[in-house]
Amino acid sequence: MTDLSTPGEALDQDGRSTLRVDAERNRDRILFAARSLFATEGLGVSMAAVAREAGVGKATLSRRFATRAELIDAVFADRMEAYADAVTDALADPDPWHGFCGFIHAVCAMQASDRGFADVLTMAFPAADVLEARRDEAYEGFLEVVARAHGTGQLREDFTSEDLVILLMANAGVIAATGDAAPGTWRRLVGHMLRSFAADRAEVPPLPDAPERAPLYRAMVHFSGSGEHAALPRAPHPSRS
């Protein structure tokens, strides 16, 4: 049997070099660390922070992923597949309007569960070839979702695909602002937006409850960085008109 290892390189029981095993382990640690940091802090996390979280050196990170785009491509490949699957599910729905609403809610929920993916959906990464290609494919499918919903007369005729981008940007902002203090706030935004997208004859989904005042206030304090400029407007007194 030919020894494929380099000099001084041991082989494990499967015949793989220990260096290769270490490389695979390091790659997995980097992906796990990046996925965790991106999900909680967004894509602004530095490559150095990813390396520290993974417990590897910067040189090791660079060998595995030479650029941020390569890392983002690898981390969010499965998320983008789920995004594409949401389009497929919407197209398979026998009720085009219901499929449209389901897609909007599913994608906004993906954003809420992963701040990094919320950023990915509203940013362009030309160097992330696989990610961009899959997003382009999903976008083409979404255009068909929109066309089918328009065809039923339940989606406003003036809704365009750009409105989805606007919604995703707004949802990403709400998610970032409310954080852990009022994590379900995005549902209220999506409910209002779906109502605004609906034509007169459409059956609109029920509007989720508004967030409670105290959690929303805490979110505002957190978002402003201090309590100095955060204040909720006073609710009208029940006895006043």
Side-chain angles (χ1 to χ4, degrees), residues 36-57:
S36 298
L37 290 173
F38 288 158
T40 57
E41 301 180 32
L43 297 185
V45 174
S46 68
M47 295 289 274
V50 172
R52 285 195 302 272
E53 182 73 12
V56 301

Side-chain angles (χ1 to χ4, degrees), residues 217 220-221 224-231:
Y217 178 78
M220 293 173 68
V221 170
S224 68
S226 71
E228 296 179 3
H229 304 292

Side-chain angles (χ1 to χ4, degrees), residues 200-216:
D200 292 339
R201 58 173 295 186
E203 180 180 350
V204 296
L207 186 65
D209 293 338
E212 295 181 2
R213 289 172 58 83
L216 189 59

Side-chain angles (χ1 to χ4, degrees), residues 21-43:
V21 171
D22 286 344
E24 291 175 357
R25 185 180 298 114
N26 284 338
R27 186 179 189 278
D28 290 342
R29 290 168 64 183
I30 291 167
L31 288 175
F32 182 83
R35 187 173 289 114
S36 298
L37 290 173
F38 288 158
T40 57
E41 301 180 32
L43 297 185

Side-chain angles (χ1 to χ4, degrees), residues 2-3 19 50 53 61 86 96 103-104 106 114 130 135 145 147 161 206 221:
T2 304
D3 184 353
L19 288 182
V50 172
E53 182 73 12
L61 175 59
F103 170 80
I104 295 295
D114 189 329
V130 176
R135 179 161 60 180
V145 171
S161 59
V221 170

Side-chain angles (χ1 to χ4, degrees), residues 27-194:
R27 186 179 189 278
D28 290 342
R29 290 168 64 183
I30 291 167
L31 288 175
F32 182 83
R35 187 173 289 114
S36 298
L37 290 173
F38 288 158
T40 57
E41 301 180 32
L43 297 185
V45 174
S46 68
M47 295 289 274
V50 172
R52 285 195 302 272
E53 182 73 12
V56 301
K58 293 181 182 179
T60 298
L61 175 59
S62 296
R63 283 196 298 272
R64 303 282 76 80
F65 302 100
T67 66
R68 175 182 291 271
E70 287 184 11
L71 180 59
I72 289 172
D73 214 343
V75 167
F76 292 105
D78 59 339
R79 302 292 195 277
M80 194 55 70
E81 284 299 319
Y83 176 65
D85 287 345
V87 174
T88 300
D89 291 343
L91 291 173
D93 195 312
D95 182 338
W97 168 245
H98 183 268
F100 172 86
C101 293
F103 170 80
I104 295 295
H105 192 276
V107 173
C108 289
M110 291 178 198
Q111 285 187 297
S113 67
D114 189 329
R115 278 191 60 190
F117 191 61
D119 292 341
V120 165
L121 286 180
T122 56
M123 299 171 68
F125 301 94
D129 298 336
V130 176
L131 196 70
E132 289 293 296
R134 200 69 178 105
R135 179 161 60 180
D136 289 345
E137 292 174 12
Y139 176 76
E140 291 301 319
F142 175 67
L143 294 181
E144 187 176 348
V145 171
V146 171
R148 291 175 74 241
H150 274 151
T152 67
Q154 297 185 80
L155 177 62
R156 288 176 54 130
E157 284 297 325
D158 56 0
F159 177 89
T160 71
S161 59
E162 287 76 18
D163 289 319
L164 174 64
V165 178
I166 295 170
L167 169 59
L168 294 179
M169 287 180 171
N171 194 46
V174 168
I175 291 165
T178 54
D180 295 331
T185 305
W186 67 273
R187 299 178 186 276
R188 181 78 171 184
L189 169 67
V190 173
H192 277 304
M193 295 305 296
L194 286 176

